[in-house]
Amino acid sequence: LQNCVKKKNTVVETTRCIHPKTRARYVRIVVQHGKHRFHDDLELLLNQKKIDIRSSSRVGVCDMGVNGERVDAIVGCARFRTLNDNTNE
């Protein structure tokens, strides 16, 4: 996951935990990007059937498409890994 995020960003902080009842995994990553080194929040909630992704800017009104690109990169990595896992069976 961090390899998908690091392409144009710097990972500043990562927090992980597991929900005690649902066993869903929660990951929060603080990402720095751009020449001004803005901090964005990236959150993922992973369970057995789906992944919920939220990427948001902390400062400003317009993110210049950075958050959408970040989510697309993560989805692309997840699809690639799913395809590779299925071909190795």
Side-chain angles (χ1 to χ4, degrees):
L1 174 65
Q2 287 190 0
N3 290 336
C4 297
V5 175
K6 282 185 178 179
K7 289 180 181 174
K8 294 181 181 179
N9 307 283
T10 302
V11 174
V12 176
E13 174 187 339
T14 304
T15 306
R16 300 166 192 219
C17 64
I18 298 176
H19 190 281
K21 290 183 181 178
T22 64
R23 306 303 297 161
R25 292 180 291 162
Y26 172 79
V27 180
R28 180 179 165 269
I29 302 171
V30 178
V31 183
Q32 245 182 4
H33 71 91
K35 66 180 182 180
H36 299 292
R37 310 308 295 156
F38 294 121
H39 283 194
D40 291 348
D41 294 311
L42 173 63
E43 296 175 284
L44 297 100
L45 183 63
L46 304 93
N47 64 37
Q48 293 179 353
K49 297 189 181 203
K50 69 176 185 170
I51 301 173
D52 292 321
I53 305 171
R54 178 183 170 270
S55 183
S56 65
S57 302
R58 289 186 178 183
V59 178
V61 178
C62 181
D63 68 357
M64 305 298 285
V66 171
N67 288 303
E69 289 174 6
R70 186 178 298 129
V71 170
D72 289 344
I74 292 169
V75 170
C77 284
R79 285 188 180 141
F80 177 76
R81 289 191 177 136
T82 300
L83 289 174
N84 280 345
D85 290 347
N86 290 338
T87 57
N88 292 332
E89 291 178 355

